[in-house]
Amino acid sequence: MTTKVSAALLCAAALLLVVAPLAAEASELKLGYYKKTCPGWKNVVKYHVAKAIRANRGSGAALVRLIFHDCFVRGCDASVLLDPTPANPHTEKTAPINIGLAAFEVIDDIKAALEERCPGTVSCSDIVVFAARDASSILSNGHVHFDPPAGRLDGPISRAADAQRDLPDSTFTIGELIRNFRRKNFTVEELVILSGAHAIGVGHCSSFRGRLSSPPSQIVPAYRNLLSAKCAAGPDPVVTNNVRDEDPSAVAAAFPSFLKKLRKNKDFLDNSYYHNNLARIVTFNSDWQLLTEKEALGHVKEYAENGTLWDEDFSDALVKLSKLPMPPHSKGEIRKHCRFLNHH
Ligand code: HEM
């Protein structure tokens, strides 16, 4: 009997050891969280983000989208990074709403460098947040800048169905968008502020197909023609989100009056989204919808007029986004590899 009891105790102790790394509950986020345990970690993140953006500015836009798609689903816990496995074939990144999500390899490179420097210390979720911070700073020439706290843990749960439920769809009406943001405790103003991220990056034609037959009151016909021409080029090509970054030949053919407004500096993160929106030259239905409600429209006008205010408010909204917690009593770990759980 006694041997049975001690054997059971031994088993329980062994089990505890195995699950111990998963037993941590998220603690308070702090500025300077890794100051002693991984000094210089932020420079490692910044170095890799800058390198990725130099090679391809589109990776910067992808990193800015990644923080939103991670933090809106189960909080900022890097659940969006988990690859599907036979045990969990439908992770968040397989959800249709996550179409086009990219820059996972940038996160991998940062994680590998940090594992070499201070093994098992910096979470993937902190890397997602700081990579988005550096990307938005670089793409805005330093106008968007903020210092988020760190100390997030990586969550073990990643379900495509959660992403489908929690992330807004580009076909949403203004009412659906407002409710979606309110569920995460974000205001109408913050919905408008964060939507300004669509000044950069790309979208698949399938994400705005309905706009190709929207009336002129919703989208400028010349711009609609431009999008139609681009979307005819393949089964589901990507098109630049910001008309100012379009290639001049396409604009010359479909929308010549806009030629003089094209910008040299592509994927520049500024308030141009609001100007485009008021002029009805944005891609997604969800963008246009912001003009259909009084308060949202007021903010679109406000940010079109005041780019500096948007830089500041966008920075604040990203800090708020970065603080979205995992569901209560969730356990987390510091993953060794951002695409897989440690016990994988
Ligand atoms: C308000 C509700 C939002 C909706 C409905 C929405 C929808 C979309 C869609 C459909 C795409 C294109 C995906 C594709 O077809 O490949 C996209 C791209 C993008 N979104 Fe949003 N989005 C929203 C809010 C946000 C927020 C809050 C951020 C960040 C703060 C953001 C940042 C981006 C960026 C940067 C891209 C371009 C990504 C790239 O080029 O890789 N979006 N969004």
Side-chain angles (χ1 to χ4, degrees):
M1 187 69 176
T2 344
T3 5
K4 266 190 191 161
V5 170
S6 36
L9 278 174
L10 261 178
C11 277
L15 197 70
L16 260 181
L17 275 180
V18 173
V19 298
L22 259 181
E25 272 198 41
S27 53
E28 286 273 291
L29 299 179
K30 271 200 301 213
L31 289 172
Y33 185 83
Y34 298 115
K35 208 168 164 187
K36 294 213 174 88
T37 52
C38 196
W41 79 282
K42 288 188 202 174
N43 294 336
V44 175
V45 177
K46 198 180 286 175
Y47 169 81
H48 283 275
V49 171
K51 188 172 150 201
I53 292 178
R54 269 199 308 278
N56 165 22
R57 273 181 88 78
S59 63
L63 289 169
V64 174
R65 186 172 179 226
L66 205 53
I67 186 177
F68 176 50
H69 283 232
D70 185 33
C71 297
F72 247 48
V73 186
R74 302 188 63 82
C76 309
D77 67 342
S79 52
V80 72
L81 304 181
L82 288 172
D83 272 354
T85 60
N88 184 11
H90 305 294
T91 55
E92 286 172 27
K93 59 164 68 157
T94 68
I97 196 90
N98 276 328
I99 182 174
L101 221 54
F104 297 111
E105 69 293 340
V106 182
I107 303 288
D108 290 341
D109 288 348
I110 298 170
K111 180 63 174 170
L114 286 173
E115 282 301 296
E116 206 159 282
R117 196 182 176 107
C118 7
T121 306
V122 180
S123 68
C124 297
S125 37
D126 279 337
I127 295 174
V128 168
V129 167
F130 281 77
R133 161 190 110 129
D134 292 331
S136 48
S137 167
I138 294 169
L139 294 182
S140 67
N141 277 354
H143 291 292
V144 172
H145 59 95
F146 53 95
D147 199 12
R152 294 163 193 80
L153 288 175
D154 303 328
I157 298 171
S158 177
R159 293 186 289 236
D162 291 345
Q164 279 310 119
R165 187 196 56 217
D166 287 357
L167 287 165
D169 194 272
S170 59
T171 59
F172 274 11
T173 62
I174 186 68
E176 289 171 320
L177 288 167
I178 291 174
R179 278 194 295 282
N180 176 275
F181 270 62
R182 196 189 293 140
R183 271 204 296 276
K184 302 287 169 186
N185 203 21
F186 278 72
T187 62
V188 176
E189 183 175 20
E190 288 162 338
L191 162 68
V192 174
I193 294 168
L194 286 169
S195 297
H198 291 164
I200 53 173
V202 293
H204 285 80
C205 289
S206 56
S207 297
F208 55 84
R209 195 74 72 185
R211 296 271 286 158
L212 303 180
S213 50
S214 295
S217 57
Q218 298 183 14
I219 183 168
V220 163
Y223 181 53
R224 199 179 54 194
N225 294 341
L226 188 152
L227 293 178
S228 299
K230 294 224 129 187
C231 292
D236 192 11
V238 291
V239 174
T240 168
N241 282 339
N242 195 324
V243 58
R244 288 156 201 258
D245 295 345
E246 266 302 343
D247 64 271
S249 57
V251 176
F255 196 2
S257 63
F258 200 76
L259 263 177
K260 55 186 180 306
K261 287 199 177 154
L262 295 186
R263 37 183 207 186
K264 284 193 204 83
N265 208 353
K266 287 190 196 304
D267 275 319
F268 187 68
L269 186 58
D270 61 5
N271 69 335
S272 56
Y273 165 84
Y274 301 98
H275 291 274
N276 295 343
N277 207 344
L278 289 170
R280 286 162 181 74
I281 38 177
V282 283
T283 44
F284 308 125
N285 171 68
S286 51
D287 295 326
W288 170 74
Q289 286 282 330
L290 300 182
L291 307 185
T292 64
E293 195 265 352
K294 202 165 162 240
E295 187 188 347
L297 174 62
H299 293 305
V300 172
K301 289 181 179 159
E302 181 185 16
Y303 291 115
E305 277 162 24
N306 195 340
T308 312
L309 181 68
W310 181 75
D311 292 336
E312 283 165 12
D313 290 356
F314 185 69
S315 306
D316 291 347
L318 281 190
V319 172
K320 179 170 171 183
L321 190 62
S322 84
K323 290 182 183 166
L324 280 175
M326 292 201 274
H329 314 301
S330 298
K331 306 274 189 254
E333 61 182 359
I334 309 282
R335 276 182 222 147
K336 291 190 179 67
H337 190 301
C338 293
R339 294 174 188 257
F340 301 105
L341 301 177
N342 289 344
H343 65 271
H344 168 69

